[in-house]
């Protein structure tokens, strides 16, 4: 079978017999001289066939190959200054393993560009482009770095149910489904379950999770199936302890991604933050007002305000990442710990270049206050009994956050969110 991947062939491999597998990326037929570019997981290698030096049967084989077919090439490595990387393969045999149909739905060489919808409709082929594959190798790095940071800080990875009986974030954004004879929903987040884990003695948990949200948004930053790193931690003093963990997590993710080789393929650089500024909601509203963007106190920031704040933080404070703290309680979910006579809350959002990438806070850990908040918001305790029960038998003070993986990826690479998700689910897209 395969002896080498393309990038394992270097000038030191001169004279070696090799067997390679991959896709026909390009063919250049100059009559007596034929070049075939083979592409595999790790890159490209030039196969060179010459009349007189190469057997006729191999020369004919190259003539009949169709682009993107899967092939096996057996040959010898030869030095050639003019070839990419200074080496090429002289083939002794080329076999088609599986022929590709033509014309192709997409041009993998990217000489002809396609729009995002066409690319997403043919995602398997889109991902053959090294530039697109690079995005998902960086995404892998986000998760790897995130898991490493959390494991080093004593967080235990858990999985909580995605089929649930009641809303965790509010009732309007739920996808209902039928669960035998009962009504059920896809989970909006692991919120209730990760909080219940705080009553178990695990103290620090995290989940790489899906959120399902029936939001009717149609923007460059919203999806209906979202991925996130959710954490919850017990025995905190207040939300600052949680922000410290989020700050450490995001910094180590960004630092690790800034070293990814794949950034070169994308022609991008990532700057690593040193400090993450913390400003209050009230300060943000004032800063926006100074720039003629008016937010009614108690309203959430709209997209325009978020973008403007991102610009202000970058230009005036040299801060691409910033926490917004002490949100008005009335715009935060029922589980959020109130502050200052219930006008404010112990919550925060993390902004990155004008987009919210995470939110969290300290939670209410006292049963009576929690039920009072639920009643005050008119939510009703029905369906939440299993959750409230965990607060009656020794629940420690706790807090946590949800960090959107799709969101941090889009901001790291300055791309719309659908670019950084393999098979995005948005309002219009259910396949592939
Ligand atoms: P929230 O609803 O703010 O908080 O979500 C947390 C993070 O998830 C990402 N996110 C999204 N990304 C893309 N498209 C969407 N439609 C979308 N919705 C959310 C964002 C956001 O900051 N339970 C709380 C978290 C917590 O307090 O622990 C929650 O779900 O990056």
């Amino acid at each position: 079978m395969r002896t080498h991947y393309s990038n394992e062939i270097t000038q030191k491999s001169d004279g070696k017999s090799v067997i390679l597998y991959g896709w026909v990326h390009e063919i250049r037929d100059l009559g007596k001289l034929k070049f075939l570019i083979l592409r595999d997981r790790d890159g490209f290698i030039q196969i060179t066939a010459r009349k007189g030096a190469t057997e006729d049967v191999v020369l004919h084989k190259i003539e009949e190959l169709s682009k993107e077919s899967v092939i096996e090439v057996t040959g010898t490595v030869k030095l050639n200054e003019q070839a990419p990387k200074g080496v090429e393969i002289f083939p002794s045999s080329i076999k088609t393993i599986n022929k590709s149909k033509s014309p192709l739905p997409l041009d993998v060489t990217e000489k002809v560009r396609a729009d995002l919808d066409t690319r997403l409709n043919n995602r398997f082929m889109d991902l053959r482009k090294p530039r697109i594959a690079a995005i998902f190798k960086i995404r892998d790095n986000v998760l790897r770095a995130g898991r490493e940071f959390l494991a080093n800080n004593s967080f235990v990875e858990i999985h909580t149910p995605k089929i649930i009986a009641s809303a965790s974030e509010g009732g309007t954004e739920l996808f209902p489904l039928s669960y035998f004879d009962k009504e059920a929903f896809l989970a909006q987040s692991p919120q209730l379950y990760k909080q219940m884990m705080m009553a178990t003695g695990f103290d620090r948990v995290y989940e790489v999770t899906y959120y399902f949200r029936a939001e009717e948004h149609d923007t460059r930053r919203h999806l209906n199936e979202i991925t996130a790193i959710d954490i919850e931690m017990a025995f905190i003093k207040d939300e600052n302890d949680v922000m410290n963990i989020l700050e450490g997590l995001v910094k180590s993710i960004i630092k690790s991604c800034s070293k990814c080789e794949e950034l070169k393929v994308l022609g991008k650089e990532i700057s690593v933050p040193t400090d993450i500024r913390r400003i209050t909601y009230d300060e943000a509203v004032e800063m926006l007002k100074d720039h003629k963007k008016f937010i009614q106190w108690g309203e959430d920031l709209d997209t325009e305000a978020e973008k403007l704040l991102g610009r202000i933080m970058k230009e005036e404070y040299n801060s691409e990442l910033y926490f917004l703290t002490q949100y008005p309680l009335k715009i935060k979910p029922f589980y959020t710990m109130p502050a200052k006579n219930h006008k404010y809350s112990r919550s925060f959002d993390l902004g990155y270049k004008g987009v919210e990438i995470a939110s969290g806070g300290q939670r209410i850990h006292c049963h009576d206050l929690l039920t009072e908040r639920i009643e005050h918001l008119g939510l009703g305790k029905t369906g939440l009994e299993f959750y409230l029960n965990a607060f009656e038998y020794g629940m420690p003070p706790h807090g946590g956050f949800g960090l959107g993986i799709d969101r941090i990826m889009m901001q790291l690479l300055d791309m719309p969110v659908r670019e950084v998700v393999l098979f995005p689910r948005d309002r219009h897209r259910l396949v592939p």
Side-chain angles (χ1 to χ4, degrees):
M1 293 296 279
R2 172 187 278 125
T3 59
H4 295 75
Y5 274 103
S6 60
N7 71 339
E8 292 169 327
I9 297 177
T10 64
Q11 297 189 8
K12 286 190 194 139
S13 324
D14 185 32
K16 271 204 178 132
S17 296
V18 293
I19 303 175
L20 306 168
Y21 287 86
W23 286 262
V24 176
H25 188 68
E26 267 197 284
I27 305 166
R28 261 185 303 142
D29 193 338
L30 310 177
K32 289 182 180 166
L33 188 60
K34 299 182 200 304
F35 297 106
L36 157 63
I37 306 296
L38 177 93
R39 188 188 69 248
D40 63 15
R41 183 189 69 189
D42 293 340
F44 303 94
I45 186 86
Q46 178 172 300
I47 320 289
T48 307
R50 202 172 268 114
K51 193 151 179 66
T54 312
E55 281 188 45
D56 282 353
V57 43
V58 177
L59 288 163
H60 290 148
K61 181 74 199 175
I62 294 178
E63 282 163 15
E64 60 175 55
L65 283 177
S66 61
K67 277 172 95 174
E68 294 306 317
S69 293
V70 176
I71 55 167
E72 176 199 84
V73 176
T74 307
T76 311
V77 181
K78 293 270 189 266
L79 295 179
N80 176 1
E81 270 177 20
Q82 280 159 1
K85 296 194 296 181
V87 277
E88 60 190 2
I89 310 291
F90 275 19
S92 55
S93 137
I94 297 178
K95 285 188 203 152
T96 302
I97 310 273
N98 210 342
K99 186 173 173 348
S100 169
K101 232 165 76 170
S102 52
L104 300 170
L106 282 181
D107 177 12
V108 180
T109 65
E110 297 206 72
K111 283 177 194 137
V112 184
R113 295 260 172 159
D115 63 39
L116 184 55
D117 274 309
T118 310
R119 290 177 35 217
L120 291 175
N121 289 340
N122 299 283
R123 197 54 148 167
F124 70 94
M125 187 154 282
D126 190 42
L127 284 155
R128 293 182 188 179
K129 301 172 192 162
R131 208 171 50 83
I132 308 303
I135 299 171
F136 294 93
K137 291 178 186 165
I138 294 170
R139 196 180 157 112
D140 170 59
N141 198 77
V142 166
L143 284 165
R144 214 179 279 259
R147 282 199 163 97
E148 190 183 317
F149 174 87
L150 291 168
N152 288 341
N153 283 278
S154 308
F155 282 85
V156 174
E157 184 164 6
I158 59 164
H159 287 103
T160 63
K162 301 302 148 220
I163 301 175
I164 56 169
S166 52
S168 49
E169 303 291 336
T172 54
E173 300 163 350
L174 285 161
F175 283 116
L177 54 93
S178 71
Y179 191 71
F180 305 106
D181 56 342
K182 293 192 177 71
E183 187 183 38
F185 308 97
L186 290 176
Q188 293 164 305
S189 78
Q191 184 66 35
L192 307 185
Y193 290 91
K194 66 176 183 171
Q195 278 193 261
M196 282 163 65
M197 286 302 292
M198 296 300 96
T200 63
F202 270 66
D203 280 12
R204 289 183 163 204
V205 298
Y206 78 98
E207 178 167 358
V208 177
T209 181
Y210 280 107
Y211 296 173
F212 300 97
R213 305 223 172 149
E215 296 167 350
E216 298 212 348
H217 293 297
D218 197 1
T219 73
R220 84 192 288 281
R221 57 172 75 186
H222 286 95
L223 294 168
N224 297 103
E225 184 179 77
I226 300 137
T227 50
I229 301 178
D230 259 64
I231 75 121
E232 203 66 21
M233 54 196 277
F235 297 102
I236 58 167
K237 187 164 152 278
D238 57 31
E239 73 277 25
N240 286 295
D241 291 345
V242 185
M243 281 193 274
N244 292 343
I245 289 290
L246 178 54
E247 176 158 352
L249 173 65
V250 169
K251 277 183 179 167
S252 58
I253 288 175
I254 298 181
K255 188 167 174 206
S256 167
C257 289
S258 72
K259 295 182 200 149
C260 280
E261 281 294 310
E262 284 77 18
L263 288 175
K264 288 190 200 133
V265 183
L266 290 166
K268 293 200 184 266
E269 278 181 26
I270 294 174
S271 60
V272 183
T274 44
D275 198 25
I276 304 186
R277 281 190 89 92
R278 298 182 182 189
I279 55 168
T280 64
Y281 169 89
D282 285 359
E283 285 166 343
V285 168
E286 280 304 306
M287 283 156 79
L288 289 166
K289 196 163 104 191
D290 292 345
H291 287 78
K292 310 246 169 329
K293 171 74 189 170
F294 301 99
I295 300 287
Q296 175 93 35
W297 193 92
E299 294 294 312
D300 213 345
L301 306 194
D302 56 27
T303 304
E304 194 193 331
E306 271 196 64
K307 275 192 192 160
L308 177 58
L309 191 64
R311 246 195 342 265
I312 300 170
M313 293 307 291
K314 169 84 184 147
E315 286 165 12
E316 297 177 20
Y317 300 91
N318 193 27
S319 200
E320 286 190 327
L321 274 155
Y322 40 89
F323 280 108
L324 288 188
T325 64
Q326 298 175 36
Y327 268 82
L329 183 62
K330 67 174 187 180
I331 48 169
K332 286 291 170 182
F334 68 87
Y335 48 77
T336 313
M337 181 66 100
K340 298 186 197 159
N341 294 326
H342 288 216
K343 186 178 176 197
Y344 293 92
S345 66
R346 298 203 165 279
S347 64
F348 57 82
D349 280 2
L350 178 65
Y352 186 21
K353 299 189 248 183
V355 169
E356 177 206 309
I357 62 163
S359 78
Q362 181 173 1
R363 326 296 190 185
I364 298 171
H365 58 280
C366 298
H367 179 268
D368 291 354
L369 179 55
L370 190 54
T371 49
E372 186 192 310
R373 287 293 302 151
I374 290 171
E375 272 157 21
H376 177 82
L377 293 168
L379 292 172
K381 286 188 280 185
T382 317
L384 289 175
E385 294 88 352
F386 74 97
Y387 165 73
L388 290 169
N389 198 30
F391 290 76
E392 292 202 274
Y393 302 95
M395 173 64 94
H398 63 276
F401 59 77
L403 167 67
I405 299 166
D406 317 306
R407 287 272 177 93
I408 193 170
M409 276 295 298
M410 69 178 272
Q411 293 309 86
L412 272 174
L413 301 180
D414 290 319
M415 290 176 173
V417 74
R418 296 191 310 159
E419 280 272 7
V420 300
V421 177
L422 282 176
F423 299 102
R425 289 290 173 263
D426 59 32
R427 237 174 91 191
H428 310 288
R429 188 169 282 280
L430 199 49
V431 287

